[in-house]
Amino acid sequence: DCAIPAIGQSNSFDTLTARLAQTGRAHENDNTAARLRSGSVGHSRKEGGLMERLFGDVVPSDARQHPSLARQPSTPSVTSTSADSFGIDNIQPRTLLTASVYHNEATHLWIATINTNQKGLNATNKSNASKYLKAFSFHTEREARESAYANAPPKMTPFAESPHCALCNGKFAVFRRPSHCRNCGVCICASCSKTWSHKSIPETYNMKNEKNVKVCKTCHFLSYKFRQTLLDGHYEDAVSLFHTGNINLRCQFYSTDGEASYPVHCAAEGGNIQLLQWLFDIHFCPL
């Protein structure tokens, strides 16, 4: 607010006008700064400028509203086996860390050994590398190989190799910090992430034992759509979504009400026997 000059001070019309103008500019500057931070002023920021270094470049609002999530409230009938037909874009199939399967002659069991951390791949000391390994034993080779695929965590894209968000393509900055999607490994900004319970990813994906993890909106919608196809009993669509590479068959789906819902439960509710056989007999999903 503009203070009125006290008695004895200059009370001229010019002085009062100048103070009002100065106050008005201050308010205008404050509003402009707020709009700059939100990205509502202009269509771009000077490359390498202070604002870009602090807040990143301006991302169009339609890029921030993920196309897949914009369609999430509706549940149209799914008839095609192409993931693109589900309204799912920006799918980057996860690249899994190394895993091996071998037969133990002494125990007659098949062992699936999984590397749970990228540090283990770069470790020159065998003892350091071995501490990142996790082993599971099974009676059949098929079970061991399915476990290795289901539990091998994705490689995390190095931040240095990803200066932009994988979804909205916004440039990372001081106040637009990158994080990893714990389900597929891409680098994302806060606006393009969702929060899952640790129960929605395999235990080997969460070696930090975090209660909640961040995932990208594409993986979030992919999981949502997969659950819907199971409930609707669409076998071919469920298989097509699984082959995108970022579906977890042995973990519960994201839930806001705390109710545990696994793929096998949804398939049973959908009433498609072929889907249940696919989950049990082909992928050895537990009840």
Side-chain angles (χ1 to χ4, degrees), residues 101-116:
V101 173
Y102 67 94
H103 186 251
N104 188 316
E105 298 294 341
T107 62
H108 302 291
L109 294 174
W110 286 89
I111 311 299
T113 304
I114 298 167
N115 195 324
T116 61

Side-chain angles (χ1 to χ4, degrees), residues 83-136:
D84 293 338
S85 67
F86 302 146
I88 304 173
D89 50 15
N90 287 337
I91 298 176
Q92 300 188 38
R94 50 195 173 198
T95 301
L96 303 179
L97 296 181
T98 57
S100 61
V101 173
Y102 67 94
H103 186 251
N104 188 316
E105 298 294 341
T107 62
H108 302 291
L109 294 174
W110 286 89
I111 311 299
T113 304
I114 298 167
N115 195 324
T116 61
N117 196 300
Q118 288 178 221
K119 294 179 180 179
L121 300 177
N122 303 324
T124 55
N125 188 304
K126 289 186 177 181
S127 61
N128 289 335
S130 62
K131 69 180 181 180
Y132 297 115
L133 298 178
K134 198 175 181 81
F136 304 86

